[in-house]
Amino acid sequence: MAEHQEAQQKSGVFAIGEKNTAYANYFVGQSYLNILTTERVVTANVTFEPGCRNNWHIHHKGGQILLVTAGRGWYQEWGKPAQELHAGDVVNIPPEVKHWHGAAKNSWFAHVAIEVPADGAGNEWCEPVDEDTYNVLP
């Protein structure tokens, strides 16, 4: 029972899922992926261990919506300051915006990621977040 409660504190209301091996090349640190549905709208719970974040990336055509469910993390658009995120925050990411998101250095972080459907939608993975840029975040 205590293990279930600890996992839920890390991943929010949805199960933590499996180690995210499919996209591991696009993350610094360990993340976990729980695909919630692929019917009509791809929706997944993504959980990040402390310090884990994804690379800069761009959602072409459709964009993405993040529903933060647990922990403390960060979201940053290219050329803008990082925004601190907490459970209950919603991030609407327009198409064609280069960005990254992930956990704070000292906190687990989880969000439900919703891929906004669009004809020709796709994801372009870019470079990792610069260590100096990440390390100055509190």
Side-chain angles (χ1 to χ4, degrees):
M1 183 67 166
E3 186 176 310
H4 173 74
Q5 287 175 333
E6 182 180 344
Q8 193 167 27
Q9 286 177 337
K10 293 174 183 174
S11 67
V13 296
F14 298 103
I16 195 168
E18 302 297 322
K19 286 187 176 182
N20 187 3
T21 57
Y23 296 95
N25 289 342
Y26 309 115
F27 283 74
V28 171
Q30 183 63 59
S31 65
Y32 301 84
L33 184 62
N34 177 9
I35 302 294
L36 302 174
T37 184
T38 57
E39 190 172 322
R40 294 190 303 274
V41 178
V42 176
T43 306
N45 188 60
V46 185
T47 304
F48 302 76
E49 288 187 356
C52 177
R53 66 262 185 204
N54 52 34
N55 289 2
W56 289 97
H57 57 288
I58 304 165
H59 297 279
H60 296 295
K61 307 284 186 190
Q64 185 181 44
I65 300 168
L66 305 178
L67 308 174
V68 180
T69 59
R72 186 171 74 90
W74 296 98
Y75 168 76
Q76 185 175 16
E77 293 181 2
W78 189 261
K80 295 184 179 179
Q83 302 171 22
E84 189 170 342
L85 299 175
H86 300 273
D89 288 340
V90 176
V91 181
N92 285 288
I93 305 166
E96 313 310 327
V97 172
K98 188 174 182 179
H99 67 282
W100 69 272
H101 34 100
K105 291 179 280 235
N106 60 355
S107 176
W108 284 76
F109 177 67
H111 62 57
V112 172
I114 302 167
E115 299 294 324
V116 178
D119 288 338
N123 194 30
E124 177 185 349
W125 289 101
C126 305
E127 70 276 8
V129 176
D130 178 80
E131 286 293 323
D132 293 335
T133 301
Y134 180 79
N135 285 331
V136 299
L137 299 172

